[in-house]
Amino acid sequence: MSDRSSGGPAAARQDLTGPLESHLRSRRDEGRKLLVPYVTGGMAPDWVEAVHAVAESGADAVEIGIPFSDPMIDGPTIQEASLRALQRGTTPTSVLNELARADLAVPLCVMTYYNIVFRAGLRRFARSLADAGVAGAIVPDLPLEEAGEWCAEADDAGVATVLLVAPSTPMDRARAISERSRGFVYGVGVMGVTGERAALAATANDVARMVRSVTDRPVCIGIGVSTPEQAVEACADADGVVVGSAIVRRLLDGEGPEAAGAFVGSLRAGIDTAHS
């Protein structure tokens, strides 16, 4: 392993805050709890309209899923959205081409798997994200110990690599992950795949408290945050939340961008009312 891994000089030289983290820190410093909705790229002809709708309904950033045939962390809802996207002929390039023309007022962060990154070439993929106006990337199947080369290329391209901390992560490892993460730290609310749940897992707040004790970076809890009430509960200890399946389900059900935007608006209103 070269010094392009988490603790070497390459990491140390790249400690400037990028646009994703700067934006989220600024919103947090204003006293705002952060809201990051997720939309699967290419899942329907009007998917970019859905991105606009959620962005304009109170999002602080938007996460875009790049469809992949063999997901690891995505549950049934997002798997179905990815399948629809792939059946429509969606590719990583087509998603980025559409995002490049989207002209959004909040930062974009893509979620993808390392197979896509590796197949494209690390430098090429990082620069294609930057060229599309994407400010961050989540690659959940790339562990910290193997992330060095990708992180270096992403840093050089100005793309924040958002890393994940799970309920099973020990404190010392959570600290190392948080130090290498850029943009924000993604706190995994519950062990398992994405999906709507009847109640917020107790581990969500445990993870938030642990990560906030070791970093000043924004900490957002995702996986298992499904309702305004759950978002409020998660934000008691976290800086914000990531919400995906509950939005994507509405789009899969044919409710359209307007319904997705209305739901994000309800999340925003609930969080703001509780944490103003």
Side-chain angles (χ1 to χ4, degrees):
M1 183 71 67
S2 74
D3 66 16
R4 291 163 77 91
S5 62
S6 60
R13 66 182 168 79
Q14 292 287 354
D15 42 36
L16 295 177
T17 301
L20 175 60
E21 187 167 330
S22 293
H23 181 78
L24 296 181
R25 281 182 178 271
S26 175
R27 293 286 180 99
R28 182 186 65 179
D29 292 347
E30 293 169 358
R32 179 182 175 101
K33 291 292 184 175
L34 305 174
L35 176 57
V36 183
Y38 167 100
V39 174
T40 302
M43 63 176 291
D46 59 356
W47 76 271
V48 176
E49 294 175 37
V51 174
H52 276 281
V54 301
E56 293 164 5
S57 297
D60 298 292
V62 180
E63 180 185 347
I64 307 297
I66 295 180
F68 184 56
S69 57
D70 299 292
M72 295 175 60
I73 199 171
D74 296 318
T77 300
I78 294 177
Q79 286 183 28
E80 174 63 23
S82 292
L83 179 60
R84 290 193 190 184
L86 293 171
Q87 290 173 337
R88 294 186 62 245
T90 300
T91 66
T93 298
S94 70
V95 170
L96 296 181
N97 285 344
E98 291 192 68
L99 290 179
R101 301 189 294 269
D103 191 24
L104 293 158
V106 299
L108 294 172
C109 182
V110 301
M111 184 276 190
T112 189
Y113 290 94
Y114 188 64
N115 187 287
I116 289 176
V117 178
F118 181 79
R119 182 67 179 83
L122 277 60
R123 177 171 297 184
R124 178 184 171 206
F125 190 75
R127 294 183 179 183
S128 69
L129 294 180
D131 289 344
V134 173
I138 303 167
V139 189
D141 59 339
L142 183 61
L144 177 66
E145 292 79 7
E146 300 176 20
E149 291 191 37
W150 161 253
C151 287
E153 295 294 354
D155 286 345
D156 287 345
V159 175
T161 298
V162 178
L163 298 179
L164 291 80
V165 174
S168 60
T169 305
M171 178 75 78
D172 58 346
R173 183 170 176 78
R175 181 179 290 106
I177 291 171
S178 299
E179 287 175 356
R180 177 55 264 192
S181 191
R182 302 289 185 265
F184 64 96
V185 181
Y186 193 125
V188 176
V190 62
M191 296 297 290
V193 296
T194 63
E196 295 177 85
R197 289 171 170 82
L200 185 74
T203 49
N205 292 89
D206 293 340
V207 170
R209 286 191 294 268
M210 176 176 67
V211 180
R212 289 188 74 191
S213 75
V214 299
T215 186
D216 183 50
R217 281 199 171 86
V219 178
C220 294
I221 294 293
I223 303 185
V225 182
S226 312
T227 67
E229 293 76 16
Q230 292 172 17
V232 168
E233 188 177 351
C235 285
D237 292 295
D239 295 309
V241 291
V242 180
V243 181
S245 294
I247 296 168
V248 171
R249 178 178 57 78
R250 286 166 167 79
L251 296 172
L252 288 173
D253 289 347
E255 297 181 32
E258 184 176 347
F263 177 66
V264 170
S266 73
L267 293 169
R268 180 80 268 166
I271 294 169
D272 288 348
T273 299
H275 295 286
S276 60

